[in-house]
Amino acid sequence: MTRRVVVTGMSGITALGNDWQTIKTRMQAGETGIVRMSEWDGKYDLRTRLAAPVQGFSLKGQFNRKQLRSMGRVAQMAVAATDDALEMAGLRDDTAMFEGGRLGIAYGSSFGSTPPVLGFTRLMEHGDSNAITATSYIQMMSHTAAVNIGVLYGISGRIIPTSTACTSGSMGIGYAYEAIKFGKQDVMIAGGAEELCPTMVAVFDTLFATSVSNDAPDATPRPYDANRDGLVIGEGAGTLILEDYEHAKARGAKMYGEIVGFATNSDGAHVTQPAADKMGRALQQSLDDAGLSSNDIDIVNGHGTATDHGDLAESKATRTVFDRAVPIHTLKGHFGHSLGACGAVEAWLGLEMMHEGHFVPTANLKNVDPECADLDYIMGSERVMTAEHMMSNNFAFGGINTSLIFKRI
């Protein structure tokens, strides 16, 4: 017997704000979080000068120095998003739940914080360990977000760290959903986070996959657009509180949506070149898990990185599975590609839009690339529609594919 899984809390940290009302207002005003990083000039040998940073973020005053010392920026953003999501769920101070073993964490990032790496580099190059502290590894390890969340709240349930690049956040949500669905946990903290670092940018810059529209930050990235010239790296965090339906109902919790389907697979073919057929297989498996047909999906939140190979493969996979021009949009025109955070942030904001029945257009999409498959791309203005089911898809280096399906409650 399987259990229903509902969302009882959600929050995030983004380049456009840290609460839905602020983010919605700014998106509706046509704003994006993309800026020109003038501080990179003359410092980093990068083609791009664009990013989507989170401005003015700090946890000082909210937690004490001892609590923060093991957290780099990525863990701090994960904790901030989680604290607000727990508050929304009415679980912020439920120590009995935290310590009882039935609440766990599935949370990911591509990497931990990068500044501590410098200390280890200095050791390797010069034999000097003076820059390494007792918390250097804790801050840089790939499971730093999950571990710091767990230690801060005294959580004794299972920990599932997901470090799968651009699917880290969506995979965290998916594995949390499965943990509850199959009775292993009653509540899960799920999501992903990533901090902005030139090293992350360099990964894509060396592949000529970044946007170089450096003097036009308001007009890039351009997902699915014929004139797109690459992605823009962002940062942030997103957290969902997932809960067994009966458990949530018994405590009178408000429910913001239900997860009804999840699938993940791998291409097994190429590290950086996506395979449309395996992408499509993940989408179909998610539908199968939900017991739905493609006609039941009202809108797709696409990955939409604004890269040539990625956009084409994704759109073709989507068209093959749906066999119709399903409505689709992506939020990466607004927030850039926040890597390990994107799937969680997109799930959170997608649920908010489902609740209100207003879906923002893909920012900067003006002329759909004729090579992209025939889909109903939301562009120009927001789409007012009632969506009972939303599919949210993410794809990562290594050919890792994820697909989540949410139901409106």
Side-chain angles (χ1 to χ4, degrees):
M1 180 178 177
T2 59
R3 305 194 295 177
R4 293 174 63 186
V5 181
V6 295
V7 180
T8 55
M10 51 189 180
S11 187
I13 306 295
T14 81
L16 284 179
N18 306 332
D19 65 90
W20 168 236
Q21 289 303 318
T22 298
I23 294 169
K24 178 178 71 171
T25 299
R26 295 185 68 181
M27 288 196 297
Q28 289 177 335
E31 293 183 47
T32 77
I34 314 302
V35 299
R36 191 186 196 284
M37 304 291 288
S38 56
E39 59 266 42
W40 291 356
D41 294 342
K43 187 175 182 180
Y44 301 117
D45 183 20
L46 296 169
R47 297 167 59 251
T48 187
R49 292 291 185 273
L50 300 167
V54 172
Q55 309 278 7
F57 171 77
S58 175
L59 281 186
K60 291 181 179 179
Q62 188 171 349
F63 299 99
N64 62 48
R65 183 177 178 275
K66 183 178 179 181
Q67 291 172 314
L68 294 175
R69 68 182 181 182
S70 63
M71 300 182 199
R73 184 175 173 83
V74 63
Q76 289 186 20
M77 289 192 290
V79 162
T82 298
D83 202 61
D84 288 344
L86 286 169
E87 183 71 29
M88 177 183 271
L91 295 172
R92 172 64 177 78
D93 300 311
D94 194 339
T95 55
M97 172 63 71
F98 295 153
E99 298 170 359
R102 297 298 295 173
L103 184 153
I105 304 166
Y107 217 98
S109 62
S110 298
F111 199 77
S113 286
T114 50
V117 177
L118 296 174
F120 291 94
T121 301
R122 186 171 175 177
L123 174 66
M124 294 293 290
E125 290 185 344
H126 306 291
D128 178 0
S129 63
N130 290 332
I132 301 175
T133 71
T135 59
S136 291
Y137 175 70
I138 307 304
Q139 292 182 20
M140 66 177 270
M141 64 189 187
S142 60
H143 56 309
T144 185
V147 166
N148 274 290
I149 291 169
V151 170
L152 181 66
Y153 297 104
I155 294 169
S156 62
R158 61 174 53 190
I159 298 288
I160 308 173
T162 53
S163 182
T164 53
C166 317
T167 56
S168 299
S170 53
M171 192 171 285
I173 294 170
Y175 286 165
Y177 153 77
E178 291 182 339
I180 296 172
K181 179 179 180 179
F182 296 111
K184 305 301 181 182
Q185 303 278 255
D186 295 329
V187 182
M188 291 289 289
I189 295 169
E194 205 79 67
E195 68 179 62
L196 180 64
C197 177
T199 60
M200 303 287 189
V201 177
V203 170
F204 297 91
D205 207 61
T206 57
L207 294 172
F208 297 96
T210 53
S211 173
V212 291
S213 300
N214 295 323
D215 296 325
D218 294 338
T220 192
R222 307 178 187 92
Y224 313 121
D225 196 278
N227 297 313
R228 67 193 182 282
D229 74 332
L231 56 76
V232 173
I233 298 297
E235 65 175 344
T239 299
L240 302 186
I241 307 302
L242 307 188
E243 193 165 348
D244 165 48
Y245 172 80
E246 295 298 336
H247 187 275
K249 183 179 178 182
R251 69 181 187 88
K254 184 175 180 178
M255 304 176 198
Y256 298 93
E258 181 176 0
I259 301 180
V260 295
F262 168 66
T264 182
N265 68 0
S266 59
D267 293 348
H270 196 282
V271 175
T272 59
Q273 299 298 324
D277 60 332
K278 304 297 173 47
M279 286 179 166
R281 185 179 298 174
L283 272 57
Q284 185 59 55
Q285 289 173 341
S286 185
L287 288 167
D288 294 342
D289 183 56
L292 299 173
S293 76
S294 60
N295 289 327
D296 294 316
I297 303 299
D298 299 296
I299 186 166
V300 172
N301 175 256
H303 193 53
T305 60
T307 58
D308 289 340
H309 291 293
D311 286 2
L312 295 184
E314 176 190 358
S315 66
K316 291 174 180 177
T318 304
R319 177 70 200 201
T320 297
V321 171
F322 283 85
D323 194 29
R324 64 184 171 95
V326 64
I328 185 173
H329 74 157
T330 180
L331 301 183
K332 290 186 178 66
H334 288 93
F335 303 100
H337 191 350
S338 56
L339 304 176
C342 69
V345 170
E346 290 159 5
W348 162 42
L349 299 180
L351 284 165
E352 296 281 14
M353 285 184 266
M354 284 182 76
H355 174 72
E356 296 194 356
H358 293 251
F359 294 86
V360 298
T362 296
N364 304 317
L365 175 56
K366 302 183 184 303
N367 301 293
V368 176
D369 185 345
E371 295 297 314
C372 285
D374 181 20
L375 300 171
D376 181 8
Y377 297 92
I378 301 177
M379 51 192 289
S381 59
E382 68 178 12
R383 182 75 57 87
V384 178
M385 60 183 290
T386 299
E388 294 297 326
H389 294 98
M390 174 186 73
M391 176 183 279
S392 187
N393 302 321
N394 294 104
F395 312 104
F397 274 2
I400 302 170
N401 310 310
T402 61
S403 180
L404 289 159
I405 298 176
F406 296 90
K407 180 180 179 180
R408 188 167 69 95
I409 290 183

